[in-house]
Amino acid sequence: MSGTLVSTALQENLTTCNTTRGNHYDRCSYKRQKTTLHQRHKYRLVDEEKNSHRQTAVAFPNISTSSQQLVVSKPLTAQTSSCQRTFAYGLYRQTHLLNNRFNPQNHHRQIKSQHFLLILSPIIVIGLLINPSCFVLPTAEGTPLDDMYRKWTHEDDHTLHAATPEDFNKESILTSGAFDIEIFVSNLTLEIKVDGKRVLYKHNQTVRSLPNAFRPTHRGVGMVVLHPTTGQVLLTGHYETNQPMAYRPFLETLNNLQAGRILVLAAPGDWRTYMNEASVEFLSEYLGGWLVNEGCIGEMWAGVGMIDGPLWAETLTTIANFKRPSRSSPLYMAVTVPKSLEKNRCEWYSDPKHEHRARFCETYEGYRDFCSCNVVHTVSPANAPPLEMREQIPIVIATARHQFKVLRQIQQLWTQAGGGNTSILISVDGLQKEAREFTKIMGLQAVFHLNPAALGTLARISQHIKFSIFQAFKLNPEANKIIVLEDDIVIAPDFISYFHQTAPLLDADKTIFCINAYNYNSFLPTAIDTSRLYREEVFPAYGWMITRELSQELLVEWPSMAEFADWDWYMRARMQKGRVIVTPEVPRTYHNGNGGFHVSGWEQSAYFDRRALNADPEAKVNISYLTKDAYELFLENELRNATVLEIKEHPCDKEYIPKEKVGSFVVYVYGEHEKDDSYAYFTLATCLNGYEKGRMEHHHYMFTLGYYGNSLYIIACPGSYYCRVKEEDYGRLVYNPSHADFMRSMNYKQKYVKHMTHISVTYRVNTTNFFDEVTLQNYVNLETSFMVSEVGEDGKMLM
């Protein structure tokens, strides 16, 4: 079936499958019956057209000429009155008895039934006398062919049927207009047009992720959401689901779409590779489609439907047999979708105080709860508990995309202590009308960046962070500090409190560069104590606080648009100048990006998904030991009283540190500087379930971890200032593993890393079974998991 176009017509024709040949055909039959997207729509418009000759709109069942069979042409409609339903049921019961052949075994039962009818008949007559309206004859509109006139024509003659009110409703839909939707998908191109206008286009796009590495960005799923009445584009999105974890924001967006919207999806052939079974089932049930669950690698897919409504069309191009790098022929689909009648969708739309919100909900998508018709959700700073503050510390949220992620952050900020008294600035990259309307509704201040850097580049992001810092201080002239956030961050319930508790450190110690809310080395069991903070050389990342004085210095030295550099790496390498960053053992933020520019789905799967997030809204931190001199005294006391561990056996084979809080421990590992070729840190950190690629997060080349509540200090020798090992003791105390030891630890990692990358690949294969081919069951499925690591066999980072 190379290049075969399989559409919903196949699904309509193959309404049933042979269920007598085992589970294989049962599965086929089950998939044909899946219509969850249409649960609120009993008949599709196309079905009503096709089946209109079978629907007689009668209130009574037809009487079959067969003595064994009773044919009911259409069930009673919801418009039938209660008395009509009672009378119809009596006639149905009587007809059923008359048409049954005599059976001696059932004769006694039939006599009882007839006695019951004799008793019921007077009740029906009395009911008609009491309520004469029940005896109203059908009007000409929708008059059925009753028994009296049935003999005038053949039973299957439908030329004499009159129109019903349902036909008028259908006619009004057909005359209200329609949208022409065109979809083109190939291995290199993804294009969606509405009424001839291109609304989404991706063609052979790549971005430079590293100085010598590129990755495609045109692969994945394209999405367009349209207003069902006006055809206005409410949302466009592209999700790079050809990499791990990127399907999650795709499904999250689907979950947040409002009912009644027109949904257009298009995808090339590798978009489902990293989706787990649960997500595929969700998507299949959400769409009510069949083909979305039957596509194989290399095959193109597209679908058009209505949220909580009909699936208008679904298309899949197939290949006969998959052989790398095989791809199916391109897919082109044209669909005409009728417009919905214009109406006031929610009751609260007519409330003048919600006028702007109603207009916003009819213009943009992705805000299902915020735009719910059932209840108007209140998002207000008045919901936040009080917090004692010594100063005002504004928060600036840098964003460049749709505002539903920002809405989530606002909800988190306005439900935690201090949220009601904290100034929030939304810094938008570009002239985004959605952000302008959203911030008006929320009563927030917003600035819009005329960013000169090219879209999709490191320079674009870097320049926008610089703009956000500048505008936050400019618009808050009384503030001495600000907190910088990005829109893909989930916030802990003590986020604001954490920064106000640590703010005095920036005033007391100029050797502190900024305060972080994030800790890269925060995997369980290395993130336990919510009160513990470290001084480290690391990046400002995922929620950080900086002073006005330092920002003046940084903005002058900020990387230019011509420099290929992440702003956070550049800041650490060029601007920190020996100053440290205070980081929490347990993070106050969680990175929720998936398949973005800075963080790929691979890295999200391997590292970011494993990191902790504080859940205690009343957590307190200890800052008494964090100024420079106090920290050195604290470390001197810690190291003096710590237990020094000698690594004689492989650290993955022996537990050197107890899994309950005992005290402090020191391990010496070989290392000359941060970028040397030593395997020691990677091997040890991997066996301890730590951040094996994280040699950039240290204090004078000493790594501090909270291991099950204990303090573990990993000191590099001879590179660290804190190395106190004598030369004659190096062989005994300094752990210096071989390459084989390093590889052994990497294999061991697969045993405890829970978030392994899942792959599910279906390959199309040749078959001699025609039924398997037409039902798209001619495939084999390969499911596996593997560990993602950014450290190569040479001990160096791959990314």
Side-chain angles (χ1 to χ4, degrees):
M1 294 180 64
S2 179
T4 302
L5 197 66
V6 184
S7 68
T8 48
L10 177 62
Q11 185 178 4
E12 298 297 334
N13 294 331
L14 297 175
T15 55
T16 60
C17 298
N18 189 340
T19 60
T20 64
R21 303 183 184 179
N23 293 334
H24 174 77
Y25 296 102
D26 289 337
R27 176 169 177 259
C28 175
S29 177
Y30 169 71
K31 288 185 179 299
R32 301 304 184 277
Q33 297 170 14
K34 271 189 172 181
T35 55
T36 50
L37 190 68
H38 321 305
Q39 286 175 353
R40 301 178 190 173
H41 298 259
K42 190 168 186 179
Y43 301 104
R44 298 184 194 173
L45 187 62
V46 63
D47 289 335
E48 292 178 347
E49 287 286 351
K50 186 166 57 177
N51 300 327
S52 61
H53 65 281
R54 295 199 300 265
Q55 298 175 8
T56 59
V58 296
F60 313 110
N62 295 338
I63 301 175
S64 171
T65 57
S66 167
S67 59
Q68 290 290 335
Q69 183 181 10
L70 180 69
V71 179
V72 180
S73 61
K74 186 176 180 180
L76 296 173
T77 64
Q79 298 174 346
T80 307
S81 66
S82 60
C83 52
Q84 287 175 319
R85 288 196 293 269
T86 303
F87 185 72
Y89 176 78
L91 181 59
Y92 168 85
R93 184 68 178 156
Q94 188 177 21
T95 304
H96 182 69
L97 292 171
L98 292 174
N99 283 315
N100 273 320
R101 292 182 178 179
F102 176 78
N103 187 332
Q105 296 179 355
N106 296 331
H107 182 62
H108 185 66
R109 185 184 307 163
Q110 292 177 7
I111 292 176
K112 284 189 175 182
S113 299
Q114 292 172 2
H115 287 171
F116 173 76
L117 285 176
L118 291 174
I119 296 173
L120 183 63
S121 297
I123 298 176
I124 296 175
V125 174
I126 293 172
L128 293 175
L129 293 175
I130 296 174
N131 187 3
S133 62
C134 290
F135 198 64
V136 177
L137 293 174
T139 62
E141 182 184 282
T143 301
L145 293 176
D146 56 23
D147 298 339
M148 181 182 299
Y149 296 99
R150 194 171 300 283
K151 61 185 179 181
W152 288 24
T153 181
H154 297 291
E155 186 177 353
D156 58 350
D157 188 351
H158 305 283
T159 60
L160 302 178
H161 292 177
T164 68
E166 295 170 349
D167 295 310
F168 285 93
N169 292 336
K170 182 169 57 181
E171 182 67 21
S172 64
I173 295 175
L174 292 174
T175 57
S176 63
F179 309 113
D180 292 324
I181 299 172
E182 298 175 83
I183 302 173
F184 177 76
V185 183
S186 70
N187 191 38
L188 297 178
T189 305
L190 192 157
E191 182 181 38
I192 298 175
K193 292 182 178 180
V194 178
D195 290 335
K197 181 181 179 181
R198 178 187 288 169
V199 295
L200 182 65
Y201 182 70
K202 293 278 185 178
H203 176 71
N204 197 25
Q205 296 179 355
T206 58
V207 296
R208 186 167 66 169
S209 55
L210 291 171
N212 297 316
F214 295 83
R215 65 178 177 86
T217 60
H218 59 279
R219 311 294 293 173
V221 183
M223 175 192 296
V224 173
V225 181
L226 306 173
H227 194 283
T229 302
T230 64
Q232 178 182 351
V233 176
L234 306 178
L235 174 69
T236 62
H238 184 264
Y239 305 88
E240 297 178 43
T241 55
N242 60 317
Q243 56 178 307
M245 302 303 161
Y247 70 86
R248 294 191 303 193
F250 168 56
L251 300 184
E252 181 183 359
T253 302
L254 290 178
N255 259 330
N256 284 300
L257 297 178
Q258 301 178 63
R261 305 307 199 204
I262 298 174
L263 175 65
V264 185
L265 296 174
D270 57 355
W271 67 283
R272 268 185 44 196
T273 302
Y274 295 98
M275 296 179 70
N276 57 27
E277 183 178 355
S279 61
V280 173
E281 285 298 319
F282 164 82
L283 185 60
S284 177
E285 293 179 7
Y286 182 90
L287 296 173
W290 166 47
L291 303 178
V292 68
N293 205 21
E294 301 294 348
C296 294
I297 188 169
E299 300 176 346
M300 316 299 164
W301 173 84
V304 179
M306 178 179 286
I307 309 299
D308 290 342
L311 178 64
W312 296 107
E314 187 184 21
T315 305
L316 176 73
T317 59
T318 64
I319 53 181
N321 190 29
F322 180 82
K323 293 181 179 179
R324 290 183 181 276
S326 178
R327 291 289 185 271
S328 72
S329 59
L331 178 154
Y332 175 80
M333 181 171 70
V335 185
T336 299
V337 177
K339 293 181 179 180
S340 299
L341 297 177
E342 189 167 1
K343 60 181 180 180
N344 200 11
R345 205 171 64 86
C346 300
E347 291 185 6
W348 58 265
Y349 279 15
S350 57
D351 190 339
K353 67 179 181 180
H354 295 308
E355 177 183 356
H356 296 298
R357 187 167 178 174
R359 189 184 307 117
F360 179 85
C361 291
E362 285 295 277
T363 308
Y364 305 103
E365 258 304 331
Y367 305 86
R368 189 182 185 104
D369 291 339
F370 185 71
C371 297
S372 171
C373 288
N374 299 327
V375 60
V376 182
H377 289 267
T378 302
V379 183
S380 169
N383 299 328
L387 177 68
E388 184 178 349
M389 298 179 177
R390 297 180 180 179
E391 59 181 319
Q392 272 292 327
I393 306 178
I395 297 174
V396 57
I397 301 176
T399 180
R401 292 170 287 189
H402 300 286
Q403 299 302 296
F404 39 77
K405 288 190 175 183
V406 177
L407 173 61
R408 179 187 61 194
Q409 291 180 323
I410 298 301
Q411 290 172 325
Q412 291 172 335
L413 290 171
W414 282 353
T415 54
Q416 65 177 258
N421 299 327
T422 300
S423 172
I424 299 174
L425 173 66
I426 310 299
S427 176
V428 185
D429 187 359
L431 298 176
Q432 192 183 114
K433 293 182 179 179
E434 179 178 344
R436 183 178 62 180
E437 297 302 319
F438 171 76
T439 51
K440 284 181 179 178
I441 295 171
M442 303 301 291
L444 295 171
Q445 192 174 25
V447 287
F448 299 84
H449 186 194
L450 296 174
N451 198 332
L455 290 170
T457 62
L458 288 174
R460 180 87 181 190
I461 300 172
S462 175
Q463 292 302 309
H464 186 55
I465 296 296
K466 176 183 178 182
F467 170 85
S468 301
I469 296 172
F470 175 79
Q471 291 293 336
F473 279 114
K474 177 184 177 182
L475 297 174
N476 295 276
E478 76 291 347
N480 185 47
K481 305 175 186 71
I482 62 166
I483 300 168
V484 182
L485 264 179
E486 296 174 73
D487 61 7
D488 55 358
I489 304 300
V490 177
I491 302 167
D494 70 329
F495 178 82
I496 296 175
S497 172
Y498 166 80
F499 279 113
H500 279 271
Q501 290 182 68
T502 55
L505 290 172
L506 293 176
D507 298 325
D509 189 351
K510 300 303 179 183
T511 66
I512 298 177
F513 186 78
C514 70
I515 308 292
N516 255 11
Y518 196 74
N519 182 350
Y520 284 90
N521 211 339
S522 58
F523 309 129
L524 292 174
T526 62
I528 302 293
D529 189 352
T530 58
S531 67
R532 182 73 186 273
L533 304 172
Y534 307 133
R535 289 172 63 100
E536 296 181 321
E537 298 175 35
V538 69
F539 311 107
Y542 311 123
W544 48 291
M545 179 170 60
I546 191 172
T547 64
R548 177 182 292 270
E549 179 183 354
L550 184 58
S551 69
Q552 294 174 355
E553 173 189 334
L554 296 183
L555 297 187
V556 174
E557 300 181 22
W558 203 266
S560 67
M561 289 191 295
E563 294 184 81
F564 182 84
D566 285 317
W567 63 269
D568 49 355
W569 284 78
Y570 187 95
M571 192 175 291
R572 182 177 187 265
R574 303 281 184 90
M575 302 183 194
Q576 284 187 221
K577 300 176 182 177
R579 290 170 287 194
V580 300
I581 293 178
V582 173
T583 62
E585 180 177 302
V586 181
R588 267 55 177 188
T589 56
Y590 178 88
H591 184 268
N592 198 39
N594 301 280
F597 192 91
H598 275 94
V599 179
S600 68
W602 304 91
E603 189 177 7
Q604 186 74 34
S605 170
Y607 298 103
F608 285 89
D609 278 356
R610 295 165 49 208
R611 293 191 174 105
L613 177 68
N614 176 48
D616 181 6
E618 299 180 358
K620 303 299 180 183
V621 297
N622 181 9
I623 66 171
S624 62
Y625 62 99
L626 288 167
T627 56
K628 181 178 180 180
D629 294 339
Y631 198 69
E632 294 305 319
L633 290 174
F634 169 78
L635 289 178
E636 182 180 345
N637 183 63
E638 281 280 289
L639 298 178
R640 184 190 310 116
N641 297 316
T643 301
V644 178
L645 301 176
E646 296 183 31
I647 308 297
K648 295 180 179 180
E649 300 178 39
H650 196 286
C652 291
D653 295 338
K654 181 179 179 180
E655 292 184 0
Y656 287 91
I657 307 172
K659 291 186 177 180
E660 61 272 349
K661 187 173 182 179
V662 175
S664 299
F665 297 85
V666 170
V667 177
Y668 294 105
V669 297
Y670 180 78
E672 298 179 13
H673 54 80
E674 185 181 297
K675 297 182 179 180
D676 63 26
D677 294 330
S678 172
Y679 300 115
Y681 173 79
F682 293 129
T683 303
L684 182 62
T686 299
C687 294
L688 295 174
N689 195 9
Y691 189 35
E692 81 280 356
K693 64 169 276 188
R695 288 198 294 180
M696 77 289 290
E697 188 167 350
H698 60 82
H699 181 60
H700 298 309
Y701 213 4
M702 177 180 71
F703 308 90
T704 307
L705 307 177
Y707 191 74
Y708 288 103
N710 299 299
S711 294
L712 174 62
Y713 300 94
I714 304 174
I715 302 174
C717 290
S720 175
Y721 168 80
Y722 301 102
C723 179
R724 301 289 189 264
V725 180
K726 297 179 181 179
E727 186 175 350
E728 59 269 23
D729 293 331
Y730 258 59
R732 179 175 61 88
L733 294 180
V734 179
Y735 180 57
N736 190 12
S738 64
H739 179 263
D741 291 333
F742 167 75
M743 291 304 299
R744 186 176 175 185
S745 67
M746 297 302 287
N747 293 332
Y748 173 82
K749 181 180 177 181
Q750 300 183 33
K751 297 180 181 180
Y752 66 79
V753 175
K754 296 180 180 179
H755 295 274
M756 302 182 67
T757 300
H758 175 84
I759 290 183
S760 178
V761 183
T762 52
Y763 295 93
R764 192 70 65 192
V765 295
N766 287 324
T767 181
T768 58
N769 188 324
F770 177 73
F771 185 79
D772 281 354
E773 187 170 2
V774 297
T775 58
L776 302 180
Q777 301 300 306
N778 58 323
Y779 62 78
V780 294
N781 189 43
L782 171 64
E783 292 198 2
T784 185
S785 295
F786 66 93
M787 183 189 67
V788 178
S789 177
E790 296 188 7
V791 180
E793 295 185 4
D794 57 357
K796 295 181 179 180
M797 287 189 297
L798 299 176
M799 300 180 66

